[in-house]
Amino acid sequence: MNFRVLLAGGVAPLALASHGVYAAEAPATTTNAAVPAPEDAQTTSVGTGASDSGEIVVTARRRQETAQDVPLAISVVGGEHIDNTGAFNVGRLQQLTPTLQFYSSNPRNTAVNIRGLGAPFGLTNDGIEQGVGIYIDDVYNARVASATFDFLDVKQIEVLRGPQGTLYGKNTTAGAINITTNQPTFDFEGKAEVSFGNLNFVQAKAAVSGPITDTLAARLAVSSTNRRGTIYNVTSKQWVQGQDNLGLRGQLLFKPSDALSITLAGDYSEQDAACCGSVYVRTGTTQRAADRQFAALAAAQGYTVPSTNPYDRLTDLDATLQAGNKIGGVSLKAKWDIGPGTLTSVTAWRFWDWQPQNDRDFTGLPIVTKSQNPSQQDQYTQELRYNYSGDRLDFVLGAFGFYQRIDTQGTEQHGSASTKWNLAPSNALYNSNVLNGLTALNTQYLKNTSVAVYGQASWKVTPELTLQPGVRVNYDKKDGFYQRRVFTASGSEILIDGTTSPVKTAQLGIFTPQTISPKFSDWNFSYDFTASYKVAPGILFYATFAKTFKSGGINQNGVPTDAANNPILGAATVKPESVQHYEAGLKTEFRDRRAILNLSAYRTDIKDYQANVNNGQFGVLRGYLANAGAVRSQGVEADFSVRPSERFNVYVNGAYTDATYRKFVDAPCPPELSGGASSPANCDISGQRLPGVSKWSLSFGLEANAPVTFLEQEGQVYFGYDGSYRSNFSSNPTPSIYTWVDGYSLSNFRVGFRTDDGFDIYGWVRNAFDQNYIDQLFVGPGNTGLIAGLPGDPRTWGVTLRKSF
């Protein structure tokens, strides 16, 4: 029996396994080297064409070829397994792919990294590129906020590790997440699914596809997710961190001949949950005077936190919380077979609308009463590529154009508790209300233009040896604007005009007016070279070197100021990252493709790493970008899966990641060294670990099934388990003794009954052992020693009913 999965528009051969994480049979590091269950494969096989020999055919290099010949670090997670494990967005996908890291305090402040690299940890800055590209049906999504939405009618997801500049439109230095949705079909088909669980969880999905005429087919999909929050706000009497997601996708496929297909697609998704909050985790001693530490500041205003145990999941945030998030767009994709090659054009427009409200003081005191930076984006992309396949030579030539416009309007306002919180008791203004109502209005925009040409060739020197060079020429231009205007409670504007007074000095210590217009433009050339050698049938060795870059950036959240409160314009731009990447690995399959063992090792050196620097005060500067001298990520990945019979499979995937600052001599200091009169202005953190990176990460699981007759229906009863483990990691750009997150392990179980005609019912429990763990920690503003955080989801359980036809 042959099972198939569509991979980037082509087909991929899979060793059989029922957990649905497909070991991309690529001669590269495949951290999810497992094999799909029969039901997974059936779900993802429509319209593909795996060969009778069971060979895996992929298009990871933009052309169809057997996966054994693809020297690319890739793993694929099937849509069925995504649904079964509840991995309905990228955040949960990291439990299945050990080298993927995902952090999100809200949709805008989200980071997706691979092997510890991608985006700097901390508040999002629009002025830099993402190191990990997110593609949906070949369309690049510049806003990583798209990673927080539910997957919608997904066929499979590919996680590609390492630089992807000579095959993909937008240059990405850390990797790419390539999401492929189910496409319109000329045979009528459909599926529907509904899930119910604790925390008032309700999720419904449906999709229908079929012909309109002999040459026109359509597909429509919808998804809705609702769940009560996991954190209770004792101030608003409201649950926060809930889910309220809606997604729609429609597609039209016009196929006038076998040589030409044109797909018009549109999608719209929105989130409107009460989000995003935090809880008190701990306090630590900083260099501030004792009366300026958190305990003394809270006592001075008679304040106590609702709980000192973060796993009570109680907060008392007093500002309004909102995370209104809308994203969508339209794309037109045309594929035209021309002789031995294929010409593909992908034209797309996407929008993003972000409407937030936050509580930036992390307490129930009216210190910061308003913190919101609503943002709107329009994005346009055009990609054109030609794929040629010959007996000895294959190649891809492409051109890519990208334009993005982001507009942001921010409001920050302080309340009645701000004065005593921010001024020392010795200050003559301590008992005044000088900071109450102080407001900053921020206006910013970004115009981001990028054009590139790229190409990659594959030369079969001998049947065993293949050489693969690739090149890319890229031009980037960024034009930005940032303005902060500051007003008193009475509406009077505070200006930097040479005048001074105690009141003005106190107010400027919170918000400093600033106007800058940063600009950046540059050409870059990058290349890669891979050699692969088939040592024997089922055994392939590969080695890769890549010299690439991440475009330079501009600071869109403001820059530091000098002693006279003037912006330091030299900090308005950051240099491009220069990346050198080395990788080697061994891929094997044996026992008639029923077992897979992959080993790989890599090293990535980055010069002028783009780091996020956070300022300790409330509103002086939310965070800005700076170049660290050098960063290195190196590690080893191993993947093993085996399916001794159609009734049982097991997989284990692991990664050791050593990602450190090699040279960062002027980094921000951790809170324990900050806040005092004699505290250093910056610290040397060379040799310390990058934030968010666990040295050890694992994913593992199994599934067993047996034939049964249930309710007069013949089918299978099955039991599945999927687990993950990650060791401790730093949750601050500069490692701090207060912000290490302990390692943890999660376990998910499912048991159910399925039939060959598409009926499936199963019960599930996630985080089955109710493991207490932290997703992310935050250093409270002002260097008071406050540490807030986001506890991970508690145990959840429910039942899912699914039918396909």
Side-chain angles (χ1 to χ4, degrees):
M1 183 177 294
N2 297 316
F3 299 112
R4 299 163 290 178
V5 57
L6 183 68
L7 182 60
V11 260
L14 308 172
L16 306 176
S18 63
H19 69 288
V21 180
Y22 308 144
E25 304 285 49
T29 158
T30 52
T31 54
N32 284 310
V35 277
E39 77 280 4
D40 286 347
Q42 291 166 358
T43 300
T44 57
S45 65
V46 176
T48 63
S51 65
D52 292 338
S53 66
E55 289 183 330
I56 304 172
V57 180
V58 298
T59 57
R61 292 191 290 179
R62 304 297 197 182
R63 56 186 178 272
Q64 290 194 1
E65 54 194 332
T66 59
Q68 285 291 92
D69 298 328
V70 183
L72 182 64
I74 181 174
S75 61
V76 182
V77 185
E80 190 83 4
H81 193 57
I82 290 169
D83 293 335
N84 288 345
T85 58
F88 52 79
N89 60 29
V90 173
R92 296 196 175 193
L93 184 65
Q94 69 173 336
Q95 295 181 23
L96 303 177
T97 53
T99 55
L100 180 69
Q101 297 92 35
F102 176 91
Y103 307 99
S104 180
S105 58
N106 62 42
R108 183 174 189 269
N109 290 313
T110 296
V112 178
N113 287 354
I114 292 175
R115 294 171 171 172
L117 304 175
F121 193 90
L123 293 172
T124 292
N125 195 312
D126 295 328
I128 64 166
E129 310 289 341
Q130 301 296 321
V132 176
I134 298 177
Y135 294 85
I136 302 177
D137 290 338
D138 277 358
V139 176
Y140 174 70
N141 282 243
R143 299 306 310 181
V144 76
S146 61
T148 66
F149 284 100
D150 289 0
F151 296 140
L152 181 58
D153 197 23
V154 166
K155 194 174 188 68
Q156 90 283 323
I157 298 174
E158 308 157 43
V159 179
L160 296 81
R161 288 171 296 282
Q164 304 297 326
T166 63
L167 278 173
Y168 282 77
K170 198 75 173 72
N171 188 52
T172 53
T173 55
I177 298 173
N178 197 15
I179 301 171
T180 302
T181 68
N182 291 300
Q183 298 298 298
T185 60
F186 285 95
D187 293 320
F188 181 75
E189 65 177 39
K191 59 182 180 179
E193 173 185 314
V194 62
S195 299
F196 302 94
N198 66 329
L199 305 182
N200 301 328
F201 176 76
V202 178
Q203 185 177 71
K205 302 177 182 180
V208 62
S209 180
I212 298 176
T213 70
D214 290 342
T215 59
L216 186 66
R219 187 177 190 94
L220 180 65
V222 60
S223 173
S224 175
T225 303
N226 284 272
R227 193 197 71 182
R228 195 204 74 191
T230 56
I231 298 174
Y232 186 70
N233 190 329
V234 300
T235 300
S236 65
K237 310 300 181 185
Q238 183 182 35
W239 289 95
V240 297
Q241 305 300 108
Q243 295 169 358
D244 185 2
N245 305 339
L246 174 67
L248 301 167
R249 176 182 291 275
Q251 299 176 86
L252 286 173
L253 170 63
F254 177 56
K255 195 171 178 62
S257 69
D258 291 339
L260 177 64
S261 65
I262 301 173
T263 304
L264 176 66
D267 67 278
Y268 173 82
S269 297
E270 68 176 29
Q271 298 171 326
D272 192 23
C275 183
C276 297
S278 60
V279 301
Y280 172 93
V281 176
R282 64 175 70 98
T283 57
T285 302
T286 71
Q287 297 300 305
R288 300 187 98 192
D291 62 358
R292 309 304 296 145
Q293 303 280 339
F294 180 83
L297 291 168
Q301 302 204 43
Y303 173 72
T304 58
V305 297
S307 174
T308 57
N309 180 1
Y311 302 113
D312 287 340
R313 293 181 167 83
L314 296 176
T315 191
D316 62 349
L317 302 179
D318 59 325
T320 302
L321 299 179
Q322 176 181 304
N325 199 16
K326 299 177 181 179
I327 199 165
V330 178
S331 67
L332 183 67
K333 180 176 181 178
K335 295 183 67 175
W336 184 21
D337 292 338
I338 305 174
T342 300
L343 183 66
T344 302
S345 171
V346 183
T347 308
W349 163 75
R350 299 201 62 76
F351 76 90
W352 178 64
D353 186 7
W354 169 235
Q355 296 292 331
Q357 295 187 69
N358 305 297
D359 193 326
R360 282 201 67 231
D361 59 45
F362 302 143
T363 74
L365 286 169
I367 304 168
V368 179
T369 56
K370 184 178 289 187
S371 177
Q372 56 195 49
N373 283 274
S375 185
Q376 307 84 39
Q377 176 204 254
D378 280 291
Q379 167 195 314
Y380 303 87
T381 56
Q382 172 64 57
E383 184 170 6
L384 188 67
R385 63 176 182 265
Y386 179 74
N387 302 58
Y388 170 86
S389 294
D391 294 336
R392 298 284 299 274
L393 179 68
D394 302 331
F395 66 81
V396 178
L397 294 176
F400 179 76
F402 169 83
Y403 177 77
Q404 174 191 44
R405 167 85 188 221
I406 304 176
D407 290 277
T408 302
Q409 314 83 33
T411 303
E412 308 280 335
Q413 187 173 76
H414 277 230
S416 58
S418 178
T419 303
K420 288 189 175 181
W421 194 268
N422 288 290
L423 301 183
S426 58
N427 192 308
L429 298 172
Y430 181 76
N431 290 311
S432 71
N433 219 10
V434 66
L435 300 182
N436 186 26
L438 186 68
T439 302
L441 300 181
N442 304 326
T443 301
Q444 57 179 290
Y445 68 76
L446 169 71
K447 299 176 182 179
N448 186 3
T449 303
S450 178
V451 293
V453 291
Y454 58 90
Q456 189 180 95
S458 180
W459 176 34
K460 303 175 185 65
V461 181
T462 69
E464 295 80 22
L465 176 64
T466 301
L467 302 181
Q468 178 186 296
V471 296
R472 179 186 185 91
V473 178
N474 206 98
Y475 174 75
D476 289 288
K477 180 181 179 182
K478 296 180 174 70
D479 293 300
F481 175 79
Y482 173 85
Q483 182 183 66
R484 167 171 281 188
R485 301 176 65 190
V486 182
F487 299 87
T488 66
S490 64
S492 299
E493 185 170 4
I494 302 174
L495 303 174
I496 304 298
D497 55 8
T499 64
T500 185
S501 70
V503 170
K504 187 174 182 178
T505 298
Q507 293 170 336
L508 291 178
I510 300 299
F511 296 132
T512 305
Q514 183 176 130
T515 300
I516 60 172
S517 298
K519 298 179 183 296
F520 172 87
S521 64
D522 197 12
W523 287 90
N524 288 98
F525 174 75
S526 58
Y527 58 91
D528 55 43
F529 183 82
T530 299
S532 58
Y533 188 79
K534 293 182 179 180
V535 180
I539 302 177
L540 185 140
F541 174 80
Y542 76 97
T544 297
F545 171 75
K547 178 68 171 69
T548 185
F549 70 97
K550 187 165 82 170
S551 170
I554 60 177
N555 270 303
Q556 281 295 105
N557 294 339
V559 296
T561 55
D562 59 22
N565 287 317
N566 295 311
I568 302 174
L569 297 180
T573 61
V574 289
K575 300 175 184 177
E577 291 183 356
S578 177
V579 181
Q580 291 193 118
H581 175 77
Y582 312 83
E583 187 161 347
L586 182 68
K587 174 186 173 291
T588 66
E589 58 180 359
F590 45 94
R591 294 180 58 86
D592 194 26
R593 294 192 178 94
R594 291 181 177 271
I596 293 173
L597 175 62
N598 292 332
L599 300 173
S600 62
Y602 67 90
R603 172 171 170 159
T604 304
D605 293 302
I606 301 179
K607 180 182 177 182
D608 293 323
Y609 176 79
Q610 295 168 357
N612 209 349
V613 177
N614 293 312
N615 187 286
Q617 292 178 272
F618 273 106
V620 175
L621 198 60
R622 290 172 56 85
Y624 64 98
L625 298 168
N627 290 108
V631 157
R632 182 192 67 200
S633 177
Q634 60 186 9
V636 178
E637 297 163 345
D639 316 292
F640 174 74
S641 67
V642 61
R643 183 180 181 87
S645 74
E646 293 186 359
R647 301 300 175 200
F648 180 75
N649 76 87
V650 62
Y651 70 96
V652 180
N653 310 307
Y656 171 77
T657 307
D658 175 24
T660 57
Y661 298 105
R662 303 315 299 160
K663 184 180 181 182
F664 198 2
V665 298
D666 54 354
C669 292
E672 58 266 31
L673 298 179
S674 302
S678 60
S679 296
N682 47 56
C683 289
D684 184 351
I685 62 171
S686 303
Q688 297 196 44
R689 200 190 311 178
L690 288 176
V693 183
S694 297
K695 282 194 172 183
W696 297 97
S697 55
L698 299 169
S699 65
F700 39 86
L702 58 86
E703 184 173 297
N705 65 76
V708 298
T709 300
F710 179 67
L711 298 177
E712 299 183 348
Q713 295 288 320
E714 292 185 359
Q716 294 177 345
V717 62
Y718 61 92
F719 169 81
Y721 166 73
D722 295 279
S724 63
Y725 167 78
R726 63 179 306 185
S727 60
N728 72 343
F729 62 91
S730 168
S731 190
N732 195 53
T734 295
S736 164
I737 59 176
Y738 305 134
T739 58
W740 283 98
V741 174
D742 294 336
Y744 57 87
S745 181
L746 301 176
S747 293
N748 305 325
F749 296 92
R750 62 187 182 277
V751 60
F753 171 76
R754 61 190 172 222
T755 66
D756 291 339
D757 64 358
F759 174 78
D760 190 0
I761 183 171
Y762 63 96
W764 46 266
V765 57
R766 293 158 191 152
N767 189 8
F769 303 113
D770 205 18
Q771 171 74 57
N772 286 329
Y773 66 101
I774 294 291
D775 276 332
Q776 195 173 347
L777 293 175
F778 314 105
V779 176
N783 290 313
T784 68
L786 171 64
I787 306 295
L790 294 176
D793 282 355
R795 176 170 52 224
T796 57
W797 48 265
V799 62
T800 295
L801 177 65
R802 180 184 301 142
K803 175 64 177 176
S804 59
F805 51 89

